[in-house]
Amino acid sequence: MSPFPATPVEPVNILLVDDQPGRLLSYRAILEPLGENLVEAGSGTEALRRLMDGEFALILLDVNMPGMDGFETANLIHQHPRFEKTPIIFVTAVNVTDMDRLRGYKLGAVDYVSVPVIPEILRSKVMVLAELYRKRRELQLANERLEAANEALQVEKARELERLNVSLRNANAQLAARNAELQAQITVREGAEARLLEQDRRKDEFLATLAHELRNPLAALGNAINLFRLADRDPLPGFEPARLQDTMQRQFAMLVRLIDDLLDVARISQAKLTLKREPVTLQAVLESAVETTAPLLDGGAHALQLELPDAPIPLVADRHRLSQVFSNLLNNAVKYSDAGQPIHVHVQCDADSVEICVEDRGIGLRAEDARGIFELFTQVDTSVERARGGLGIGLTLVKRIVEMHGGDVHAHSAGVGQGCRFVVRLPRAAVDTAVDAAPSTNASAPVAARRRVLVVDDNCDSADTLAMTLELLGHDAQRLYDPHAAVEAVARFQPQVVFLDIGMPGLNGYELARRLRAAPGGSALTLVAVTGWGQPEDRRRTHDAGFDHHLVKPAEIAEIERVCVLQAEREALA
């Protein structure tokens, strides 16, 4: 492959000036591979004549020529306006002094080349200067094109300005029309702002009510804890631990229900709530709802009148969620009725649907309240309601869950003090749909053999209480607050069951479960996720991370013991 560049499309002119033909021939031999146009001159006078015939990229000029030497020739060349910037390379066969070099540079020389000429050096210098000339010429042409384009742009700008003026006049006319439309929209926007202010007011009311509703059970729990402390210090006459424990259990259940309702509203609002549909009878659903509401009914001495068909009414529904609907309606009826007032539940059926009516003789509703009673955070503004609490989300849950089942719900009232009637309509299932019996809640949990259990949670109180619960159940339990130390702790303690919190800082439960599974003996561990998230997507994530079980906080003792029993059974079968 040739070391020289390919011949350019438009070679540049290079003037070779020397009084010795042999040198001119050697210059040509050295420079011809560059592919440029080489022009020869045998004297300074001939060089000036050649320059008048065209443009030259550079001049290779001998210093020592008879008559007009190189310095004089260079001086005359650069006095001409066309060639004042043409680069000159002086060629000399004798040593030149520094003063001679300075003189040459002042006359426009860009370099000196000594004889004998080294071809590679001369060729490289000429090639660089030729390329610079070519770039300079391209830049000049580009500037000329830019100037022409600039002139054209000025003309186009003038035209564009005229077009813009026309467009501006049209836009002004459209703006005037749009202003008229905006004036018409102001009323709509003011209405929307009023609705937003109302929603904001409801939100503030809800937060204040939530704080009140949370403080009630917390106060009872705090009082019970204080009584236990006082009893430990000094025996108290009439102190009944079992009664206090029942109180704490009721208040704890109330807190759990408040939190569950809040989570359900968030899930429904974000379309994340899913239904576990299964064949079930309406009678089983209502029985579960009545069982849930029984303490409130008994506490207010409300007689519950149930009118149900003798034949089972089949549904395909989420048993738990539908029971939640009717327990909320029954709670609502109890809350807004005076003590001793009866509550009536009756059912009507047709071929395709079933209608369930929950009716009370309580405070009733105004017409405007009945229309918005199912909206989130809506509270009936009466002193009775304020005295009996409520977050304003129970009926929202009722409406959303019923609609997810393909049904609808409506509220009716003859007015304040005339009671309320809530009517739920649901689609019926086919008559031959198989209905599973409701799961028994009375079966006692089996007792597991003693297990080695490790609890990992960055919340020290949660870890300690769960570990103590496991110890009271007869297991050998250790607790760990730092998830980064879990792999080492498992290797040292050799637990059979590991309870892992999911939301731990630095190393979450998902990643820790993967590390434990990858460690030696990790496949034999029973990993239990303990988390506040309990949706199907959350359970799928823990399963994918390698967990065997998923417990939602707060976990029941029966669930904890069931996990240990299953581990023992799995170990026995291994």
Side-chain angles (χ1 to χ4, degrees), residues 170-181:
N170 294 335
N172 285 335
Q174 293 174 0
L175 184 59
R178 180 60 178 161
N179 284 336
E181 293 178 7

Side-chain angles (χ1 to χ4, degrees), residues 293 296-297 300 302 329-338 343 360 388:
T293 322
L296 290 176
L297 291 167
H302 298 285
L329 291 177
L330 288 172
N331 284 341
N332 199 68
V334 170
K335 185 165 56 177
Y336 297 118
S337 297
D338 292 333
I343 296 172
D360 63 63
R388 304 193 183 188

